[in-house]
Amino acid sequence: MESEATRQPLSAGLYIVATPIGNLGDITLRAIDILARCDGVACEDTRVTGKLMKHLGLSKPLWRYDDHSGERDRARLVESMATRAVALVSDAGTPLVSDPGFRLVAAAREAAVPITTIPGACAAIAGLTLSGLPNDRFLFAGFLPVKDKARGDVLSGLAAIDATLIFYETGPRLTKSLSAIERTLPGRAVSVARELTKLHEECRTGSAEELIAHYEAHPPKGEIVLLVGPPGESEPGDFDIDALLRDALETEKPSQAAARVAKATGQDRKTLYARALELRR
Ligand code: SAM
């Protein structure tokens, strides 16, 4: 490989660079090349990116940037892209995927800055490929909300989607999310892909109930991708309508509960409204 001193500088613009999600061997040749030739790196955490640069034997100015960075900082960074090659990285994986960068890319695009992407590791895709769940159609939905009601609402909003669902999750919240999936998306295959590309990588697929039993006995450590298989052919009839209505009735009027469950399951709203009234009694 060329030495840093002999590499040609890059043309000015924004370079979106994916970095590893655990195993440092997963950095691409192109990512190393861009990080070696850029004028500076915009990153979430300068300590995390500093370690990666050190591992690669590279030294570049590191500029802290995340989606909480102010409008003025963003504008300054975009302005600098007129004359400098700026690499955007996140702490791990693909920037913008549940990570900062969306506003920066939108602003750079608006300013007609040349932008290119250097793809690489992404935990959602790594988890999907490992899970054995159908992958012809999938929907990535980021992190589930922390609060029970909001989490249930998001899951019931996704119930009718004919695709594998992918979420990012943390160890302490895993069993709560699995319980919500058991209630809201009954009968689905579920996968927990943990510590991908790292020493203790594991992927477990089963029913939500089986996974709850396992992870209650073995509290999970590390980073997690949680996947839910699509509704099966026979599944529309498998919705636990009463459970969905009861959940919704905890906070909503029967008419609203019926509308929500109708949207999630594709079932008739009037029939659901009648059932909601019965359950309320
Ligand atoms: N941008 C990253 C990507 O492309 O995957 C994701 C960043 S998001 C802030 C971090 C979350 O991604 C973690 O909480 C976890 O859910 C998931 N994740 C990241 N690395 C992982 C790994 N090695 N194994 C499993 N999940 C991982």
Side-chain angles (χ1 to χ4, degrees):
M1 198 165 281
E2 278 174 281
S3 81
E4 213 173 320
T6 60
R7 289 182 207 250
Q8 292 297 311
L10 286 173
S11 53
L14 174 61
Y15 297 78
I16 304 164
V17 181
T19 58
I21 56 169
N23 188 324
L24 292 179
D26 290 337
I27 188 108
T28 68
L29 294 175
R30 205 167 148 235
I32 298 173
D33 183 56
I34 297 293
L35 292 174
R37 292 165 63 208
C38 67
D39 295 307
V41 183
C43 56
E44 268 188 281
D45 184 329
T46 52
R47 283 164 309 176
V48 173
T49 301
K51 273 192 206 151
L52 175 70
M53 296 296 277
K54 194 163 173 216
H55 169 80
L56 298 173
L58 300 172
S59 167
K60 292 284 168 178
L62 301 180
W63 303 307
R64 186 167 178 281
Y65 175 83
D66 62 29
D67 278 339
H68 303 296
S69 299
E71 201 62 52
R72 213 183 296 157
D73 288 340
R74 188 159 36 251
R76 213 176 293 137
L77 197 51
V78 170
E79 222 175 274
S80 78
M81 292 169 195
T83 52
R84 293 199 264 189
V86 176
L88 171 71
V89 302
S90 61
D91 284 353
T94 301
L96 281 81
V97 178
S98 290
D99 264 342
F102 162 69
R103 290 196 179 91
L104 185 67
V105 171
R109 197 156 274 293
E110 204 168 304
V113 166
I115 308 176
T116 189
T117 187
I118 294 84
C122 175
I125 300 299
L128 179 68
T129 58
L130 202 57
S131 67
L133 295 177
N135 57 31
D136 49 338
R137 280 154 61 95
F138 58 87
L139 186 143
F140 172 67
F143 286 94
L144 280 166
V146 176
K147 296 214 168 124
D148 291 349
K149 160 125 178 46
R151 188 195 290 117
D153 286 351
V154 167
L155 287 171
S156 53
L158 296 171
I161 291 176
D162 185 17
T164 289
L165 307 174
I166 309 176
F167 304 98
Y168 283 160
E169 193 46 274
T170 64
R173 293 208 286 262
L174 177 65
T175 51
K176 275 196 162 189
S177 292
L178 288 170
S179 302
I181 289 166
E182 189 186 21
R183 268 198 315 279
T184 323
L185 309 171
R188 305 276 187 103
V190 180
S191 274
V192 173
R194 206 173 60 80
E195 294 288 85
L196 293 163
T197 78
K198 303 184 200 174
L199 187 61
H200 297 293
E201 174 178 288
E202 74 159 3
C203 181
R204 226 162 245 282
T205 298
S207 67
E209 197 185 354
E210 286 161 355
L211 293 171
I212 292 167
H214 175 81
Y215 286 110
E216 273 176 358
H218 308 92
K221 292 201 184 102
E223 301 192 280
I224 292 169
V225 181
L226 176 59
L227 304 100
V228 182
E233 299 255 304
S234 60
E235 214 205 329
D238 291 347
F239 282 119
D240 187 343
I241 294 292
D242 283 1
L244 291 174
L245 282 173
R246 275 200 193 93
D247 259 12
L249 283 169
E250 276 179 24
T251 52
E252 290 171 327
K253 291 195 276 193
S255 58
Q256 292 166 324
R260 172 189 302 284
V261 176
K263 193 168 160 221
T265 62
Q267 303 218 353
D268 178 58
R269 192 171 55 79
K270 279 192 187 151
T271 313
L272 291 170
Y273 177 60
R275 182 66 188 146
L277 291 176
E278 276 172 28
L279 289 173
R280 165 123 314 168
R281 266 185 248 123

